[in-house]
Amino acid sequence: MINSFILGLTGSIAMGKTTVSEMFKDLGVPVWCADTAVQDLYRPNAEGTRKLKKFLPTAVDKNGVNREILKKLIHKDNEILKKLENLIHPLLKSSKEIFIEENHLKPLVVFDIPLLFEKNQQKNFDATLLVTASEETQRERALSRGKLSEEDFDLIKKKQLNEENKISKATFVFNTDKPIEETELEVKFLHQKILNKEIERK
């Protein structure tokens, strides 16, 4: 039996989702991160790498899956993304189930999933938390990191639902346009409400 409250955490690029995820970790909450899980599956000899080598051998080298090559292949042929998801999603599902089992006695478990609403996964959680910010803040943060071009940023945005749509689907919404200390207080307040069983599980 799962005793934990299962919270789905999501947010678009540069909205502050990773910062909020770290705040939960600092409170001792186990956090499963989709991006980290994919990285683990793409390591040399990992199950995801072995499956991908059969399907797209040019995207695999001695360091595992080459994500830059994979990204270029997906840009050229959108069917590749669908096939890739069919290969990787069952492995991620298994990883999630193992994580829940390992932490089933914890009062709260968080799943950090960037495309949670895009993949219609909200039904899998007791509640969802969306981390958001203004479009101006998002663009400024994303481009100031120096890792993305404007074109890459716009491509990422196109794959995601607009913020109004996400806000309408979320149980809780944290806006990170304000000082980080205020977001930290919001995280602590939500954490405490869940521990006190003030929020009902599904």
Side-chain angles (χ1 to χ4, degrees):
M1 182 181 171
I2 299 166
N3 299 304
S4 314
F5 188 100
I6 311 296
L7 179 69
L9 170 65
T10 193
S12 301
I13 184 170
M15 292 297 201
K17 175 182 63 63
T18 302
T19 300
V20 168
S21 176
E22 290 298 323
M23 289 174 181
F24 277 110
K25 285 182 190 174
D26 289 343
L27 292 170
V29 176
V31 177
W32 182 92
C33 175
D35 288 343
T36 303
V38 170
Q39 284 170 15
D40 289 341
L41 288 172
Y42 285 177
R43 293 186 194 283
N45 299 316
E47 194 172 359
T49 303
R50 291 198 302 272
K51 283 182 178 290
L52 206 61
K53 193 167 186 178
K54 293 176 185 173
F55 162 52
L56 277 178
T58 54
V60 177
D61 57 31
K62 61 179 174 36
N63 298 313
V65 175
N66 186 314
R67 295 183 79 154
E68 282 304 309
I69 291 174
L70 185 60
K71 188 164 73 172
K72 286 173 184 171
L73 291 169
I74 289 168
H75 283 331
K76 284 181 187 174
D77 181 0
N78 202 44
E79 284 301 308
I80 287 175
L81 180 59
K82 291 176 186 172
K83 289 175 184 173
L84 178 66
E85 287 177 344
N86 288 338
L87 283 176
I88 299 301
H89 281 185
L91 302 180
L92 290 174
K93 185 172 182 284
S94 175
S95 172
K96 286 183 207 166
E97 288 167 355
I98 291 166
F99 191 81
I100 288 175
E101 181 58 35
E102 287 173 346
N103 295 286
H104 73 282
L105 295 176
K106 298 281 187 179
L108 170 63
V109 176
V110 171
F111 283 84
D112 174 345
I113 302 174
L115 297 176
L116 189 153
F117 292 128
E118 285 79 359
K119 300 300 180 185
N120 202 31
Q121 291 188 32
Q122 58 268 31
K123 59 187 177 296
N124 299 330
F125 304 99
D126 293 314
T128 55
L129 167 59
L130 172 69
V131 183
T132 188
S134 68
E135 195 167 341
E136 295 77 15
T137 299
Q138 181 191 26
R139 183 173 288 273
E140 185 183 326
R141 285 177 185 165
L143 298 179
S144 68
R145 293 170 182 174
K147 293 180 181 178
L148 283 179
S149 66
E150 292 243 12
E151 186 185 8
D152 283 339
F153 175 73
D154 290 335
L155 272 173
I156 290 168
K157 288 275 287 178
K158 277 181 188 173
K159 290 179 185 172
Q160 298 178 337
L161 294 174
N162 65 49
E163 286 306 294
E164 291 78 13
N165 199 330
K166 289 185 182 184
I167 288 167
S168 72
K169 293 173 184 288
T171 318
F172 305 104
V173 179
F174 289 177
N175 187 303
T176 62
D177 277 320
K178 54 189 175 295
I180 194 167
E181 293 80 9
E182 290 186 36
T183 301
E184 199 166 10
L185 283 174
E186 283 186 314
V187 170
K188 287 178 178 175
F189 183 67
L190 178 58
H191 178 242
Q192 200 56 54
K193 284 188 80 168
I194 291 170
L195 293 193
N196 292 343
K197 295 186 166 55
E198 292 174 43
I199 302 166
E200 286 186 24
R201 290 179 58 191
K202 278 186 184 173

